[in-house]
Amino acid sequence: MKKTIFIILTFCAFTAFAQESQAPLNKTTTAHRITTPPKIDGILSEAIWNTPPTFEGLTEYLPTFGVTETADEITKVWIFYDNSGIYIGAELTDKTRRIKREFTKRDDTGNADWFSVYFDTYKDGLNGYEFGVTSAGVQFDRRYSPISGSSGRGGGWGSGGDASWDAVWSSAVHIEDERWTVEMKIPYSAIRFSDLPEQKWGFNVQRYRRETRQELFWSPRRPDIENFISQWGTLEGIAGVTAPLLLSLSPYVAVAADHHTEAGWQSGFNVGADIKWGINQAFTLDAALIPDFGQVQSDPRVHNLTPFEVQYNEKRPFFMEGTELFSKGNYFYSRRIGGQPMNYYNIPLEANEVVKENPSESRLLNTIKFSGRTTGGLGIGVLNAITSNMYAVIQDTLTGDTRRHKTAPVVNSNVLVFDQSLKNNSYVSAVNASVLRADGAYNSDVMGLLFRFNDNNRRYYLQGQGTTSLFSHKDAGFSYTLRAGKARGAWQYYAENAFMDNKIDINDLGIQRERNLMKFTGNLSYNNYTPGSWYSRYNFAFSPTYTRRFLPGTYAQASLSANAMLLLKDYTMLRIAGTYAFHSKDFYEPKKEGRFYRMPHGIGGSFYLSSNYNKPVFVDATFGYEALLKNNENAYEVQLKPGFRVSQKVTIVLTSKLNNIFNNRGYYSRNSAPVGSAQDTVIFASRNRSIIENVVDGRFTFNNKMNITLAARHYVSKVKNKEFFLLNQQGDLESSNFMGREGEVYNLFYVDFLYTWRFAPGSELNLIWKNEINPQSIETLHDSYFRDISLLNTAPQRNLLTLKVIYYLDWMTIFRRL
């Protein structure tokens, strides 16, 4: 078996396929200085727009690479600048009059055409900015970096962008019968660049036609090249400009009313401010003084029976915006900051005492971010956050007296990053993540080194990551990952080796689910971007994995997986995936170091369908199935997600998911006796489980500055234990007379209602109402979903209403008015 896996991985790593791509064609254009700035109203009426365009005609990226625009859909672009910013004008012809223009919230392009410009101000082919506007006038902007993800338009390394980043800039659009026009002003305060007398930036322009799904670029983007940013052209001509003083203050006022069925009414009032200071042309300092995060949307909490923690997305703006430097290597999971106090569940109680109050989140005192990049391509980032002492309130039920017990000391969390850009879009990064606790509690320090080296043609690459973890109360740990592969052409592949010793731990501030392993992974993929008579494009991939335990050095698991995607001419997407898992030893399910559970061979598969989102009614559908072949354990999941575009301003999406698991064998309980001792006990249960989840997402947009979003979610997880087993030292299950609970039910319902009004650039008013019902009773297992719903009527509930107003104050604007 080991020889077979080794041969497959070697094949993936060192076999080249098909013909190589030609080098990307990078264009060059020039911006011209003006003395009188245009009015940003979307109408190209000023004299500067009557001059010949800076360039015209874009090249198609998808669905057919290389096709150029025809006269009836031509794009013309003008680029000017002055001492305050860059001005972009665009005329986008569409004589078919099929301009889609759905109104959405900011950073959501929706069912609309759009136009955007890209700037790589240090021209390193790694980092950049995007500023875009839809035909409905909705702004979106993004930061790009090597770790900005593969999600988003087109996929690929660095192409997804960080949409949480928001800059303050101006734009407007104007719609006519056979064209629409765009005006933008990108102030220098929105971007960072070098202090050279003459600027030379990476630059590109993109147009998206929603009706035909055409993506077009000025500097052609090849679909068979991984790095998106490296294919941008060059913008010259900007000279004699300096970044203005970047100093802005965003004070806020927040008021809240909180009502709980059992605790009654509470109210709150909070004031604070976000400060942004451009220390120089390269570096920016962001600080949040007395931050308030009461306006973030609810987490989609689940009933977690796995041995791994659930990772929720960050929703607090400060930790979402401009954090691409800190996201390298999973060393920084921002939800750790302000998370659950370390002794939340460890509260000593005397006789007749109960816990009256126990905050589940630590209170943030302040947070700062310092980040930027030098002319030599060195990126530096520092993030620091301090949380306060946290206390639980304990009450004596006989006397009524209360006392406080500290559940967390003051905590200082810090991330330091150095990221050096190299030639050929290569880079080397060093990261340090540390947590310091007061009162003699343990501290941690994690250090990481990451790199990626590309050859001259950016075709082949070698990338890796090495990590050490140091804790004040346990031994140091080490891990590494090394990957080599091919990132250009229709055929792409890589081979990867990962090692983690049994001491590595980055979870104090980062996120890590595995340790104590040696893993070998390969991937071979083929991507066809040339449309056929009935399809637009397709791809498929094959991936083997082989894992061994580090200590002791024994086999853990192996699997083979494959997936394929097909996009039809009518924009229906089909995706199919399958996995075969060989027999394995699961070292995580027993939730006790040194124990494992033997699992038989298994199979799994999934099918996904997504219809054309241009239609008023659209749907996503998923079906998945998996089974273990020897113990009659199987599961299936069905999810339907229909959407209804009621109008250009109203969209409703429904999600219904059913997941049934039969004869699942998993962890139930354990004791703390030493592994291998006569008292060492781990209990497993054979159980049936069903999960039903229904979600309603609604969006009503008044205009491009005002919108309402509504999210309602009901989630029910039921577990029925059928039989209990003793896990023996050989990893097998033996019959047991253990008597445990019949089962458990997790029943959750919440509603989030959010009204947002961006009444001025960088300023907004948010009104949010949250209602949550989470019955704690698990006394009865029943089969009726409607019974689960009826329990919500009598369960305790919480209603939270908050109003927050943020006002953006820019020093340069204030100075000009004085």
Side-chain angles (χ1 to χ4, degrees), residues 483-514:
R483 175 186 290 191
K486 176 173 176 285
R488 279 183 58 181
W491 288 96
Q492 299 184 16
Y493 55 82
Y494 68 79
E496 179 178 290
N497 172 226
F499 166 79
M500 299 181 181
D501 70 11
N502 59 332
K503 304 295 184 182
I504 187 69
D505 186 356
I506 68 172
N507 280 323
D508 210 20
L509 194 53
I511 186 74
Q512 170 190 322
R513 289 187 170 88
E514 298 178 301

Side-chain angles (χ1 to χ4, degrees), residues 336-386:
R336 301 281 187 222
I337 297 177
Q340 192 175 86
M342 58 186 297
N343 292 315
Y344 178 77
Y345 293 107
N346 186 23
I347 302 176
L349 298 176
E350 305 291 339
N352 305 315
E353 285 187 333
V354 296
V355 178
K356 185 178 180 182
E357 296 179 15
N358 188 17
S360 61
E361 296 180 351
S362 299
R363 183 170 181 266
L364 268 167
L365 296 178
N366 63 71
T367 56
I368 63 168
K369 288 182 298 193
F370 169 85
S371 61
R373 190 169 295 273
T374 68
T375 303
L378 176 62
I380 302 174
V382 180
L383 187 147
N384 196 84
I386 300 175

Side-chain angles (χ1 to χ4, degrees), residues 609-620:
L609 179 147
S610 179
S611 70
N612 187 345
Y613 271 48
N614 284 349
K615 305 297 183 182
V617 179
F618 49 91
V619 64
D620 290 350

Side-chain angles (χ1 to χ4, degrees), residues 645-657:
R645 188 168 294 104
V646 181
S647 70
Q648 296 282 42
K649 295 185 176 183
V650 180
T651 300
I652 299 173
V653 178
L654 309 177
T655 303
S656 291
K657 182 168 70 174

Side-chain angles (χ1 to χ4, degrees), residues 40 106 139 141 166-172 185 187 189-190 248-251 704-705 757-765 806-811 813-814 816-817:
I40 306 300
R106 180 172 174 144
Q139 286 186 348
D141 39 25
D166 283 340
V168 178
W169 53 287
S170 302
S171 65
K185 179 185 178 181
S189 59
S248 66
L249 178 70
S250 298
N704 57 15
K705 295 182 175 62
W757 175 28
R758 295 180 179 267
F759 57 87
S763 304
E764 65 181 38
L765 179 150
I806 306 171
Y807 194 79
Y808 176 80
L809 297 170
D810 176 63
W811 166 255
T813 302
I814 297 173
R816 283 195 296 267
R817 292 176 179 176

